Amino acid sequence: MGMVHVKGKNAGNVILYALSTCGWCRKTKEFLNELGVAYDYVDTDLLAGKEKDIARKEILKWNPRCSFPTLVINNKQCVVGFDKNGIRDALQL
Amino acid sequence: MNSRLSDDAIAGTMERLDKEAEEGGYHLNPDKEFVKNLTKGLLTNVERYGYMACPCRLASGNKEEDLDLICPCDYRDQDLVEYGACYCTLYVDDDIKAGKKEANPIPDRRPPPEERQSTTQSMMAAPKGEKEMLRLTYPVWRCKVCGYLCARESPPLVCPICKATKERFERFL
């Protein structure tokens, strides 16, 4: 899956499932940039065919509504939506 | 996002959406930059799928499956009542429009995939068991976006209130 890596300080394995067209996904990316943590993201709407299916299945594991943004931390914890406090807590910042 | 979309096209669509919203008693988010990005997302989805799928939801690309999330979505009006804004926050209530309240992200009301079903066929038929009760001269159609009702042979091409297209109507009576 075409993940984009954003450099920053290590706060664990941070994966963001986003949509390129979504305002709250954009705000989530900006917030992670502000926090200065390293993360990987994928704009799920830009994927096609198998890759899109793989991403959707992965998101469904964490978030049965398959809504965006979905942030998965250390393959253990998930924050759904642009939830600043939730993200800070999950990243222990 | 698609960069082929011109600023003029985006500005034109924003203007149209704002005019239509105000005419129907709705408001766009007062945050112009946010609305600009959402409009860009909507137009990107028109190019990509052929319809204005919600920019904050993952469209399948199959119009029939996505009818409920074509903007304005089936969930907008309920979300405006409960949260003062729709899911993507393109539409907001009076307080947010006036700057008295801030628009915040809200949970998605759209049912998860397994609970959704394509109901196009059943939606065009008269509700079961009620045929005998009422003898109507015309069937009554309901706009699933805003609740507008009209009695005529078929739904209007475009809802006069919220501008949803005819596929968004269901048989009400």
Side-chain angles (χ1 to χ4, degrees):
Chain A
M1 211 186 317
M3 288 272 179
V4 179
H5 183 71
V6 178
K7 284 183 184 163
K9 62 184 176 216
N10 183 14
N13 180 23
V14 182
I15 295 175
L16 174 68
Y17 294 95
L19 296 176
S20 72
T21 51
C22 170
W24 296 113
C25 292
R26 177 189 303 268
K27 281 189 190 273
T28 304
K29 287 174 191 168
E30 284 168 4
F31 183 60
L32 289 172
N33 295 342
E34 232 173 78
L35 292 173
V37 296
Y39 66 99
D40 290 277
Y41 76 86
V42 61
D43 285 324
T44 315
D45 58 320
L46 299 181
L47 301 175
K50 264 190 194 155
E51 286 208 317
K52 196 172 178 179
D53 284 342
I54 294 169
R56 201 190 284 125
K57 277 188 192 132
E58 188 59 33
I59 298 161
L60 282 170
K61 270 200 244 166
W62 298 98
N63 172 7
R65 284 189 179 263
C66 194
S67 60
F68 297 87
T70 293
L71 189 69
V72 180
I73 296 123
N74 290 327
N75 211 22
K76 246 179 19 205
Q77 211 178 341
C78 167
V79 181
V80 174
F82 177 58
D83 171 3
K84 283 188 178 181
N85 291 333
I87 294 172
R88 269 207 195 91
D89 285 352
L91 294 174
Q92 298 176 328
L93 290 171
Chain B
M1 245 192 277
N2 201 318
S3 55
R4 280 181 304 157
L5 290 165
S6 71
D7 283 347
D8 281 356
I10 296 164
T13 302
M14 276 172 75
E15 206 175 300
R16 177 177 64 79
L17 290 175
D18 183 53
K19 184 170 167 277
E20 287 178 358
E22 293 297 326
E23 278 171 5
Y26 296 94
H27 306 297
L28 294 191
N29 193 320
D31 183 340
K32 286 261 165 25
E33 193 55 31
F34 197 77
V35 170
K36 188 180 170 189
N37 281 322
L38 288 177
T39 307
K40 216 180 197 175
L42 286 169
L43 292 176
T44 301
N45 284 345
V46 171
E47 285 194 337
R48 198 184 284 164
Y49 307 116
Y51 46 88
M52 258 198 189
C54 174
C56 292
R57 293 181 171 113
L58 184 61
S60 71
N62 175 342
K63 190 174 180 184
E64 203 174 298
E65 275 175 41
D66 292 343
L67 275 180
D68 62 327
L69 53 72
I70 296 177
C71 186
C73 67
D74 284 10
Y75 315 102
R76 175 189 67 173
D77 287 33
Q78 273 175 287
D79 284 335
L80 281 172
V81 171
E82 191 168 336
Y83 301 105
C86 70
Y87 182 62
C88 74
T89 341
L90 178 62
Y91 292 95
V92 299
D93 69 1
D94 291 356
D95 284 353
I96 294 175
K97 165 85 179 172
K100 290 183 202 159
K101 246 172 45 187
E102 210 183 313
N104 286 311
I106 63 167
D108 192 0
R109 189 183 290 279
R110 190 186 202 211
E114 68 278 9
E115 286 172 34
R116 284 198 303 268
Q117 45 188 357
S118 184
T119 51
T120 317
Q121 287 306 316
S122 64
M123 269 164 24
M124 301 313 279
K128 278 181 197 140
E130 292 181 19
K131 269 185 185 160
E132 302 308 314
M133 263 166 53
L134 280 163
R135 290 195 186 281
L136 299 169
T137 321
Y138 292 99
V140 176
W141 304 95
R142 175 182 178 274
C143 172
K144 292 172 76 182
V145 176
C146 72
Y148 166 75
L149 298 177
C150 60
R152 43 187 277 173
E153 290 299 349
S154 58
L157 293 174
V158 174
C159 173
I161 304 301
C162 73
K163 316 298 175 202
T165 52
K166 71 169 192 305
E167 310 98 292
R168 313 289 294 280
F169 277 75
E170 62 182 348
R171 180 84 184 257
F172 188 63
L173 284 174

